[in-house]
Amino acid sequence: MLQIAICDDEEIQLRQTAALVNTYLRARPGVSGRIAMFQSGADLLERVQSVSGFDLYVLDILMPAMSGIDVGRRLRALGEGGEIVYLTSSNDFAADSYDIRAFFYLLKPVEQEKLFLVLDKAVEKLNRRQSSSVVVTTADGPRRLLLERIRYVERVGRCVRYYCVDGAVDSLTIRVPFREAIAPLLCDRRFRLCGASFVLNFQYVTGVKGQTALLDNGQAILLPRTAAAEFKRAWGNYWLEEHSL
């Protein structure tokens, strides 16, 4: 069951959005969900930190005290990988929404047909993410890692180190070339090989400046000079495709 958070400071808008999402759930027998409504970003973040996060966030942008963009940044800083759909009456925040890896950005008043199309794609992506994983042989035995939670991977000595949102995981000594060892990752369009021994997940890249890839957690990863331009193009294409319907 999908856990869905809707946040809007205007009660009428909040209830209208919730009604649209409920209509969507009724129209999709194969999709079940539970909706929680919030009238402030602070209340939503308190719930996430004290109880648990959500699979899908439908956020208004123009809210007092804490905007939807601020809420999105806080969610990402907390390691929340749920999909974010922004609803707003202004086009001024489109670039900010990309920085936060928002799934989509819809202008108010929201058309039911358009919202349903966005929700269909978001649900499809969530279902795909929940089943995509790789099994890594470690000193403590096999570990199943969700691709969604892997920020980047590199070769360290003779092992492969997976940097996940909740810590690093080292494989046992690999006896094949690095590219062959991480082949399952490269089958997923989110992952890009950079040089001979480094793989980045586009999901967690918020920008590319010169030879540096900027990650959502504040890290800056230096890219090989010969690979930087192509990486930037591939990263841009990935996000354009992610936001196209």
Side-chain angles (χ1 to χ4, degrees), residues 139-173:
D140 297 320
R143 286 278 303 275
R144 179 174 175 264
L145 305 179
L146 291 175
L147 301 191
E148 165 71 14
R149 300 184 69 78
I150 301 173
R151 275 199 175 92
Y152 63 97
V153 178
E154 69 173 328
R155 180 169 185 157
V156 178
R158 299 183 65 187
C159 79
V160 178
R161 181 166 294 166
Y162 297 79
Y163 293 89
C164 304
V165 295
D166 50 358
V169 175
D170 286 347
S171 75
L172 293 179
T173 298

Side-chain angles (χ1 to χ4, degrees), residues 142-235:
R143 286 278 303 275
R144 179 174 175 264
L145 305 179
L146 291 175
L147 301 191
E148 165 71 14
R149 300 184 69 78
I150 301 173
R151 275 199 175 92
Y152 63 97
V153 178
E154 69 173 328
R155 180 169 185 157
V156 178
R158 299 183 65 187
C159 79
V160 178
R161 181 166 294 166
Y162 297 79
Y163 293 89
C164 304
V165 295
D166 50 358
V169 175
D170 286 347
S171 75
L172 293 179
T173 298
I174 58 173
R175 304 187 186 282
V176 295
F178 176 74
R179 186 177 187 127
E180 185 176 338
I182 49 86
L185 296 183
L186 299 181
C187 291
D188 188 295
R189 57 188 292 272
R190 289 171 289 185
F191 291 88
R192 179 81 177 187
L193 182 67
C194 308
S197 59
F198 212 90
V199 176
L200 275 168
N201 184 343
F202 285 144
Q203 267 186 274
Y204 293 101
V205 178
T206 59
V208 182
K209 186 175 181 180
Q211 283 182 243
T212 304
L214 307 173
L215 304 190
D216 68 324
N217 64 348
Q219 282 184 275
I221 305 294
L222 185 65
L223 303 168
R225 182 177 56 82
T226 54
E230 181 56 33
F231 179 88
K232 185 173 184 177
R233 278 194 295 272
W235 171 74

Side-chain angles (χ1 to χ4, degrees), residues 59-210:
L59 308 178
D60 182 31
I61 288 183
L62 298 175
M63 296 188 290
M66 185 180 294
S67 72
I69 296 296
D70 293 331
V71 173
R73 288 199 179 100
R74 290 285 301 278
L75 289 170
R76 295 308 186 218
L78 291 169
E80 281 297 303
E83 296 301 332
I84 296 175
V85 174
Y86 279 122
L87 309 181
T88 183
S89 56
S90 171
N91 260 324
D92 295 341
F93 301 93
D96 292 317
S97 74
Y98 278 81
D99 287 344
I100 295 159
R101 309 192 321 273
F103 182 75
F104 215 81
Y105 181 98
L106 288 171
L107 289 175
K108 295 179 178 179
V110 178
E111 299 176 10
Q112 177 175 298
E113 183 179 354
K114 185 72 169 179
L115 177 62
F116 281 21
L117 186 57
V118 170
L119 293 177
D120 278 341
K121 294 206 70 169
V123 169
E124 179 186 347
K125 184 179 178 184
L126 285 165
N127 288 338
R128 189 170 64 245
R129 278 167 40 182
Q130 289 170 359
S131 61
S132 298
S133 63
V134 63
V135 176
V136 178
T137 304
T138 74
D140 297 320
R143 286 278 303 275
R144 179 174 175 264
L145 305 179
L146 291 175
L147 301 191
E148 165 71 14
R149 300 184 69 78
I150 301 173
R151 275 199 175 92
Y152 63 97
V153 178
E154 69 173 328
R155 180 169 185 157
V156 178
R158 299 183 65 187
C159 79
V160 178
R161 181 166 294 166
Y162 297 79
Y163 293 89
C164 304
V165 295
D166 50 358
V169 175
D170 286 347
S171 75
L172 293 179
T173 298
I174 58 173
R175 304 187 186 282
V176 295
F178 176 74
R179 186 177 187 127
E180 185 176 338
I182 49 86
L185 296 183
L186 299 181
C187 291
D188 188 295
R189 57 188 292 272
R190 289 171 289 185
F191 291 88
R192 179 81 177 187
L193 182 67
C194 308
S197 59
F198 212 90
V199 176
L200 275 168
N201 184 343
F202 285 144
Q203 267 186 274
Y204 293 101
V205 178
T206 59
V208 182
K209 186 175 181 180

